[in-house]
Amino acid sequence: MRWMILLLAAALGNGTAFAQDADGAGVSDVFARGCGDDNGVDRCDAEVQQQMRDLYGVERAEALVASGITAYRAMFVDGYGRDIAIVSFVREPGVSPFVEVRTPKAQDGTAQAEPLRAPVGGEMWNDVIASAAHFDEKLAREVRPRDEDGTLRLCLHGWFIVAEAAVAPRVNQSVIAGTGSMDAERDSSLPVEAVIRDSSIRSDAEGSCANGLAVGFAFGLADFAVKALPQCATFDIEDFRNSPMMLSACARSSGDRMAAGTASRFVSKLQRTLRLEQDDDLKWLFVGFGDERARRFMAAIDGGKVYLGQPVGLDADRARVEGQILFRGGDSGESRQVADITLHLLRQTNDFVIDTFEVGSRRPFGAD
């Protein structure tokens, strides 16, 4: 039993003391409250959540409803404690509902990726509203006492979400025709003194290990967004862990995003071919003269591991992908090196393949 507790502490790896005894009764408070991401960051903390909003460049829910804006949104943290995306369904005064996906601001000072945005029809908007009805309620299994039978349950690398439903003031739909009080004379020429329903703000922060309602609501928003964003239609969900990861990739691509989505499918195919060392299949990933180009490519990467970023759609038939090659150090103590790589893709038989590529000079890893 004790080695399992130590395994949990090592896997979470956040420097916090987790166990006071062999029964695990002293598990760190942030995890006991269900608020810790994989790095032990308290995602329930108000300041941490404000930092998350700042990272995406979005306003607090209170500011939204004060401006008459209704928003249903969720921020996603992956199983390694990394901020991935925020998915928002928004209705502003005088504007039809829309969905928006933002990725975090870059830490290296480069410009933040342009948000994805698309209008949302009435049926989907109503489905979003319905899905938010109970997400902030707690199920019995979330609040019941810890099992007392000595069973230790581990849930590692769980995702974390922060979900909000900010509903601006609305007209109460149940009104009486005419104006004035119940005892006053009615005047049909005057407008109805509509009763305004107060604004409301509901939120929840929850890890996927809790098996609660908020995670299902958040991932449901991401699924709605996938359906609503035509820019992402060419991305293949099978290439990603889940909908938020696919939306993040789509949002981080640029240029012609539909072309970039098709190029993304090619990138997944290329990386899978390299990972599985399927050298015979590599020739089919190049324009013409595939055997020779594949040999040149393998010689250029020289046994290094290729990491590629999100494609740029140059036009309907051309795309560019940039990345890096990591060369591992040798047995005699050489340090690792890295080199930039750029792939120029051309559409052939409706799929992208490599036309040309360039590999830059090697430099020490971490010297950027």
Side-chain angles (χ1 to χ4, degrees):
M1 180 68 71
R2 185 172 183 81
W3 70 268
M4 294 181 70
I5 296 171
L6 295 177
L7 172 62
L8 173 61
L12 293 170
N14 53 43
T16 305
F18 293 94
Q20 301 295 332
D21 53 48
D23 294 327
V27 175
S28 169
D29 176 64
V30 69
F31 291 105
R33 291 186 289 110
C35 290
D37 67 13
D38 198 59
N39 294 321
V41 177
D42 187 350
R43 297 285 180 164
C44 299
D45 183 78
E47 292 185 7
V48 172
Q49 291 183 11
Q50 183 57 48
Q51 292 169 6
M52 295 170 70
R53 287 188 287 268
D54 292 342
L55 194 63
Y56 293 112
V58 298
E59 293 185 289
R60 292 173 55 88
E62 291 80 2
L64 295 179
V65 297
S67 300
I69 298 172
T70 291
Y72 301 90
R73 63 189 184 184
M75 296 182 283
F76 294 88
V77 181
D78 74 3
Y80 298 94
R82 298 173 298 199
D83 294 277
I84 297 299
I86 180 172
V87 176
S88 305
F89 283 81
V90 183
R91 189 166 193 170
E92 299 175 346
V95 180
S96 297
F98 62 88
V99 59
E100 182 182 77
V101 177
R102 291 173 177 250
T103 53
K105 295 178 181 178
Q107 300 301 302
D108 59 4
T110 57
Q112 185 179 14
E114 180 183 353
L116 287 170
R117 182 179 286 194
V120 173
E123 182 177 355
M124 179 173 288
W125 178 251
N126 290 333
D127 287 343
V128 167
I129 294 174
S131 73
H134 305 292
F135 78 91
D136 57 329
E137 297 179 6
K138 295 298 181 184
L139 300 177
R141 62 171 175 261
E142 297 181 77
V143 298
R144 66 189 179 193
R146 183 193 303 271
D147 291 334
E148 298 179 356
D149 60 358
T151 302
L152 180 64
R153 292 176 171 84
L154 301 182
C155 178
L156 305 180
H157 300 303
W159 279 56
F160 203 97
I161 62 91
V162 177
E164 295 177 316
V167 181
R170 290 286 306 274
V171 172
N172 190 321
Q173 304 297 302
S174 301
V175 296
I176 299 176
T179 187
S181 69
M182 290 293 295
D183 298 326
E185 182 179 353
R186 305 291 176 180
D187 187 340
S188 60
S189 68
L190 296 178
V192 170
E193 292 180 353
V195 178
I196 302 299
R197 188 177 63 202
D198 291 339
S199 63
S200 65
I201 297 174
R202 295 181 293 123
S203 65
D204 197 5
E206 180 178 278
S208 59
C209 296
N211 293 319
L213 297 175
V215 168
F217 165 67
F219 278 85
L221 290 183
D223 291 339
F224 283 133
V226 169
K227 296 178 182 178
L229 289 161
Q231 307 96 310
C232 303
T234 52
F235 284 78
D236 189 350
I237 189 65
E238 296 299 325
D239 291 333
F240 301 93
R241 183 178 297 274
N242 50 38
S243 295
M245 290 295 289
M246 196 203 80
L247 292 170
S248 174
C250 181
R252 287 183 287 110
S253 64
S254 57
D256 184 331
R257 278 178 163 136
M258 291 191 71
T262 306
S264 173
R265 300 165 78 148
F266 167 81
V267 169
S268 296
K269 185 190 301 182
L270 172 62
Q271 294 192 311
R272 183 165 54 248
T273 301
L274 294 174
R275 184 175 67 251
L276 299 177
E277 298 181 352
Q278 297 172 329
D279 295 351
D280 291 340
D281 294 336
L282 192 62
K283 62 185 177 183
W284 303 110
L285 305 184
F286 290 83
V287 176
F289 304 105
D291 289 302
E292 179 59 29
R293 292 191 176 206
R295 283 193 291 269
R296 290 184 59 249
F297 182 81
M298 293 303 293
I301 66 175
D302 191 24
K305 190 166 185 178
V306 180
Y307 296 90
L308 298 172
Q310 290 304 312
V312 177
L314 302 178
D315 58 33
D317 300 311
R318 292 177 177 81
R320 183 180 70 249
V321 185
E322 297 178 350
Q324 291 186 331
I325 308 170
L326 177 63
F327 301 95
R328 298 187 179 279
D331 295 335
S332 55
E334 298 95 334
S335 60
R336 292 185 295 175
Q337 294 181 312
V338 67
D340 296 324
I341 182 172
T342 301
L343 308 179
H344 302 277
L345 308 184
L346 184 68
R347 193 187 293 270
Q348 297 283 281
T349 62
N350 208 35
D351 288 324
F352 279 109
V353 287
I354 301 172
D355 185 13
T356 60
F357 64 89
E358 296 122 28
V359 174
S361 300
R362 300 188 190 189
R363 60 186 182 276
F365 178 72
D368 296 341

